[in-house]
Structure formats: C-alpha cells, structure tokens
Amino acid sequence: MLTKLKFTAASLCWALFAVHGGASAQQPMSQVGGFPNQTIKFVSPFPAGGGNDATTRFVTSRLSEITGQSAVVDNRGGAGGNIGAKTVADARPDGYTVLTGQVSLMAVNPTLYASPGFDPLKSFVPITQINAAPLVLVVASNSPYKTIADLATQIKSQPGRVTYATPGNGTLSHLVGVVLEKDSALNMTHVPYKGAAPAITDLLGGQVDLLITSTASVSSFIQNGKMRALAVTSPRRIGVFAKVPTLEELGYRNTTFEDWYGFFAPAGTPPERVAYLHDSIVRALKLPEVNKLITDGGSEVVGNTPEAFAAQLKDDIARWSRVVKLSGARLD
C-alpha cells in the first residue's frame, strides 16, 4: 500500500496530516446502546491512492477521537467498485462495516453492469454525503495543450489521436468523455485504468494526453505545478479551482456534472447506529483540519441528513441511467 500511496499527492497529504496531527476532536461521543465498542471498518471500493481512498482517510483520521474506537480503511478494489460494495452489502448490519460510495458506483453501475451484485437503494442505508465536487480535465505540465481550445483544435485536425485516461470503463469520468465526444464532436480515444492512481502515473509519464478524474485525485499535482487544469464540470467555479473555467462557460453543452463521496451502511443497520455514525462523521467534517483537506481538494463539504442523501441518490440514479444508455456502454 505504501508503494501505491507515494505516487498520489492526495494520499501523501493525508499521510503528512496523520503524522503531524491536527486539532483535538474534543471528548468522545457517548455510546448508544453499547455502540460502538470495537473497530469500525470503512471499505473503500477502489485501489489505494485515488480520490475515494484519500477522502475516506481524511474523514476517518479523526473518528477514533470522536467515537473512542479505532477506524480502519479497507481497500477492496475491482469491477468498478462493485466488489467492495457487495462486501458491505453482504456484511452484518451492525454498524461496524461502512462503505464509501460515490456517484460512479452508486448511480452509474446499476445501469452499466448487468449484475453489479447490489442494489444501491435496497442494499444500503445512506449515512451522509461527504462532499460535492466537479470532475477536472488535466494535462501534464509539459503538455502542448494550454487550453481546451488547443485540445479541440488538435482533436479536429486528427480525430482519434488524442487519448484521454479515466479511472475505468463506465466511471463518471468515462461518461463525461462520452458526452464530450457525442455532444461536442470531440473524437478522442478512451484509455481506461483500474483506478485513478495508475492513470495519474501514465499522464505524468506521457503515455496519455488528457486525464478526466476527480479533483481530489489531482489537486495537489495541479498546485505543485506537475499538472495543468483545463476545465472543470461544476456549474460554477469553486474554491482552489476558482481560476479554472467550467466546460459550460467554454460553450460545451450538457457538461455540468458533480461527483460526490458518501458513507453507507448495510441495509438493516439499526437506525440508532446509523444516527450515531451520521453524527460522528458530520462532527469530523466540521473539524477545521478535515474540512480544509477536503476543500483543498476542490470539493465543497456537505454532511447532509440520511434522508437528504437518499433523495440525492435517487435523483442521480435517474439522471445517470439516461447518460449510460446514451453512451451505449455495458459491462458484464
């Protein structure tokens, strides 16, 4: 795991934070009916080093102080996150196993895969949405493409020659690429990876031209000058990406998309334990050092109620099922 983490600045940022610590999280919350009295496992269903992994670690880094119990991260990558999600769906619904879901996994995969192994609305209980963030289109700092216009000129002069990397087939990043190709006639060649970390490595190594990914995965690379952000998919410019234009303002239609990460418990988890997890996680999100780590990654912190998060999930499933069908993508 350490070998993988050293290549990703988001995870390195978390590691430095964990070593040096942050402000104390006050006194632990009181238990509810004896819960929790053992380690809580947070399953990140993607490889170590990507945005899902880094965001999970940002939040859980302070939970042990809040709950009085240790919190560990278990990376269960594979099948676009389906393996890790099924692991949690099949876990005992006692509050000690939690999934870090995201839009691609929870709202895209149910349509993309014939048998994902879980139902996002029936297999889980939403706890809280961690953040809302755009995707970002980035190139290496030595790339000849300074703007989206430069990229578009090259694509139109040599269709198919420009390669764009994503964390995998059917991910939100891939579908944004599909929308750009179909709605804006940007004929590129998709290069899917197994997670953001290997895609980042190949972008920096010059093996691919463009990367579409979460802001959390690459914000540190942009800030240290190793990558250049060309555009974001948010409805407006935000936070540390305030100088980066949105695709919509550049004239690209139907390109307002926001990614999110959020926590889910297995269906059947007692409501009082879901409430405890919600309150402890929201308390962690409000800590200045955790809030800063997330916002520095180009996100806005959310921390909504389980009911509001459930409504958001339903809306996203409806929206993304239409985009998946438009793309024609299908994985079995």
Side-chain angles (χ1 to χ4, degrees), residues 100-120:
T100 307
Q102 63 189 85
V103 175
S104 60
L105 173 62
M106 307 300 285
V108 173
N109 284 10
T111 303
L112 181 69
Y113 287 84
S115 300
F118 65 93
D119 183 317

Side-chain angles (χ1 to χ4, degrees), residues 2-16:
L2 291 177
T3 300
K4 294 179 180 178
L5 288 178
K6 71 180 182 180
F7 291 110
T8 305
S11 293
L12 179 58
C13 181
W14 167 80
L16 290 172

Side-chain angles (χ1 to χ4, degrees), residues 190 259 276:
H190 178 219
D259 196 3
Y276 183 96

